[in-house]
Amino acid sequence: MLNKRWQYISQYKLTYGVDTDALDRLVASVADFFEFPIALISIIGQQQWFIAKAGLDVDITSLEDAFCRHVVALGSPLVIEDASLHPDFRDNPLVVAEPKIRFYAGVPLMAGGREVGAVCLLDNQPNTLSPKDLRFLESLGYFISDYIRLNGEPGAGLRSADFAMMIESADVGVWDWEIVNDYNVFNQHWCELLGLRLDEVESRSRFWKSLVHDEDTARLNREISAPLAEEGSVLNVEYRMRHAQGHWVWVSTCGRVVANDSNGRPLRMTCVTRDISERKRAELREQKQVQLLDFMNRAQSVFLHEKNIRHSCELIFDELLSLAESQFGLIGQVVMQETGEKSLFIHALSNISWSAETNEQYRAYQRGELFFNSLDNLFGHVITSGGVVMANQPRCHHASRGTPAGHPPLLRFLGLPIKIGDETVGMIGLANKEEDYTDEDAQFLHPLLDTLGALFYALEVEKSRLNAEQKLRYLAETDVLTKLPNRRAFIERVHGFYSQSSLTFTIAIIDIDYFKSINDKYGHQVGDEVLQEVAFRLSSYLRSDDLVARMGGEEFGVCLYDTQGAPTLEALRKAIAAEPVWTSEGAVNVTVSIGAGQVRPSDCTDHWEADLRYADLALYRAKNEGRNRVKWHMPSVMTSLT
């Protein structure tokens, strides 16, 4: 059997030392194409030798150690994912020592109808090869076997007709380019990658280049120029081509110059092409998932730091549009109008203003004041239905109401509901992706919807907490009967008067005269009505910068912010006494006594207790001197103010 195999090895010029430069180039392309560090074409005789290799310095190994002899013996492919764990190979010297083979995949190499060696891929790390890639490696084995057969025929060279026949029969996408004549030959499988028939394919380069994505054209041209300019350089490039059905296909093309003229100028380039769309989609999904997770984390971080959901949405909005490959969009939150109807408050919005009215809408958004009140439309249907709205032909969707005059064309729309439990609390709207929106797009963005739902919920919890705190604070600082600040609030807010540095202010204590008599004569209900009316008159008469509070019982505290510009306390006393208080028991005449003191800006905040006591002492004097009057702690200074 060995003699018979040697006969074919000799016949087809596969003995050790034969010049196989073309095969060296091809096998280097194979290594690049499969992304393996080592690729070999081995011949099995009394020893194993390599007629072409890439990534390995060894030329000959013993037959006993050769992995490829098992491929020849089996007559079928052999794949070993981790040789160090394989019982038949773990002690092999090529595994134990250099090159320390871990992975091996080999397919038979044929000559004269007999297995004479193998085409193989090696790695010094455990690895795998998909069934599809193994079939591709087998196709390359057939291709190389045909090349060997044609090269071994008397007087045969690799003629154009022969090569055309070879690439036509190969089970891979093959492209052969006669550079000088710009004549391109593609096989059936190359055409099938792009949904084309052979009779639809033109031979000139301008045809296939017209199918390349605009964003990839310049890079592809640069990559093709490299092997044309540098001998031995490999073309290995990934790019997009338009399928006959209109979508984009990611392809990987690997090749080399396989023929030069006597001056070394390239005459022919041969390449293999495969569809890598699924791998690119997986890579893109992974990249997008990382990006999505990143800006979700940033949105959460901003919200936790600032409690500002609008800023969080604006922070991620441009990246969201890029990630979703969309031209424009919005993020909105459902709010309830006073009428009980739902509207959409806009947290993030693309600026697609096309008229004065929409310019004003965008400015309203920038001010944080934009609401979409009408939900009888495509994006409103997301809110009213609570489901995903996908309209790749918006005009045909039952919820579509068209677009206003001048609005950018709405080519495709994807609306995604933001939910808390079963309740729709907001939405993301995306528009005008170049290709159709898919269920995969909606599913991919689902974690973002959950994140925004959690932020909306956290915002509502925060609002509820603040409202509860404000209510508790209001209850703690407000007199229930008069709705004025109570004594505690009065004392806290008086500190603000002391902190200003330029204006003299006044502290006063006001007491309703003979209030006990009113209660005794008319009852406590009328007494409460009198307190409420006096509180109302005080609040109405004083300025917004002044402070009035119920100190307890029938006493009120007043701070006049700017003594020079303040209403006089005497005028205040007269205003209360001028008209009776109308109660449920009829008219009740009411007067007040007022004790006051002046506080200068240089006085210390800690003096408030003493100043309040001085005002109280002045009130005591006003009562002793007959009531219904104003008395100052420093009457000689304050005479002009009374």
Side-chain angles (χ1 to χ4, degrees), residues 175-305:
W175 159 46
D176 181 58
W177 178 28
E178 289 186 9
I179 299 167
V180 176
N181 301 324
D182 189 26
Y183 184 80
N184 296 267
V185 178
F186 305 94
N187 71 344
Q188 179 68 33
H189 290 280
W190 187 94
C191 298
E192 290 173 355
L193 287 178
L194 302 174
L196 299 170
R197 299 191 310 270
L198 275 172
D199 59 3
E200 294 177 313
V201 178
E202 299 177 15
S203 62
R204 296 298 180 188
S205 295
R206 66 173 177 268
F207 168 75
W208 71 263
K209 287 186 176 181
S210 70
L211 303 178
V212 176
H213 196 291
D214 289 343
E215 294 180 5
D216 299 335
T217 299
R219 177 171 53 84
L220 178 60
N221 287 334
R222 288 195 303 271
E223 294 292 334
I224 291 176
S225 298
L228 299 181
E230 182 180 349
E231 186 176 355
S233 180
V234 177
L235 172 65
N236 191 353
V237 61
E238 298 175 354
Y239 54 100
R240 287 162 290 183
M241 300 188 76
R242 184 176 290 280
H243 193 275
Q245 294 181 357
H247 61 274
W248 295 103
V249 178
W250 273 98
V251 298
S252 171
T253 293
C254 187
R256 284 175 178 264
V257 171
V258 295
N260 300 83
D261 65 13
S262 58
N263 295 318
R265 289 175 297 188
L267 297 177
R268 165 174 277 139
M269 175 180 279
T270 302
C271 303
V272 290
T273 300
R274 62 172 175 170
D275 185 343
I276 59 168
S277 298
E278 185 55 41
R279 174 169 69 80
K280 294 297 288 188
R281 280 193 291 268
E283 289 176 359
L284 187 60
R285 281 195 299 270
E286 183 177 354
Q287 178 184 347
K288 284 185 173 183
Q289 285 167 350
V290 171
Q291 188 178 355
L292 181 66
L293 180 62
D294 175 64
F295 71 63
M296 282 166 49
N297 288 337
R298 281 189 280 122
Q300 290 174 315
S301 176
V302 167
F303 178 79
L304 291 174
H305 181 68

Side-chain angles (χ1 to χ4, degrees), residues 484 533-544 548 567 572:
L484 292 177
E533 178 61 21
V534 170
F536 174 76
R537 292 182 184 182
L538 289 173
S539 298
S540 301
Y541 198 81
L542 297 178
R543 303 162 302 177
S544 60
V548 59
L572 184 60

Side-chain angles (χ1 to χ4, degrees), residues 5 9 12 18 58 108 181 199 276 282 298 363 428 539 595 603:
R5 189 162 65 245
I9 290 171
Y12 289 99
V18 172
V58 178
N181 301 324
D199 59 3
I276 59 168
R298 281 189 280 122
R363 285 193 291 270
I428 294 175
S539 298
D603 290 346

Side-chain angles (χ1 to χ4, degrees), residues 32-49:
D32 290 334
F33 184 78
F34 284 100
E35 298 180 351
F36 273 84
I38 302 172
L40 307 168
I41 301 176
S42 69
I43 301 298
I44 301 298
Q46 293 179 331
Q47 293 177 303
Q48 173 182 246
W49 63 90

Side-chain angles (χ1 to χ4, degrees), residues 70-135:
H70 297 275
V71 177
V72 171
L74 291 170
S76 62
L78 173 65
V79 177
I80 302 167
E81 294 185 347
D82 190 347
S84 67
L85 301 178
H86 196 288
D88 295 334
F89 295 95
R90 62 189 176 197
D91 297 325
N92 190 300
L94 299 178
V95 175
V96 176
E98 293 296 334
K100 295 186 177 179
I101 297 171
R102 289 294 179 269
F103 175 85
Y104 175 88
V107 297
L109 178 70
M110 309 294 292
R114 181 177 294 276
E115 295 84 1
V116 296
V119 179
C120 55
L121 299 169
L122 284 77
D123 199 343
N124 53 16
Q125 301 290 333
N127 210 328
T128 59
L129 198 67
S130 69
K132 181 178 180 181
D133 282 344
L134 181 59
R135 290 194 299 272

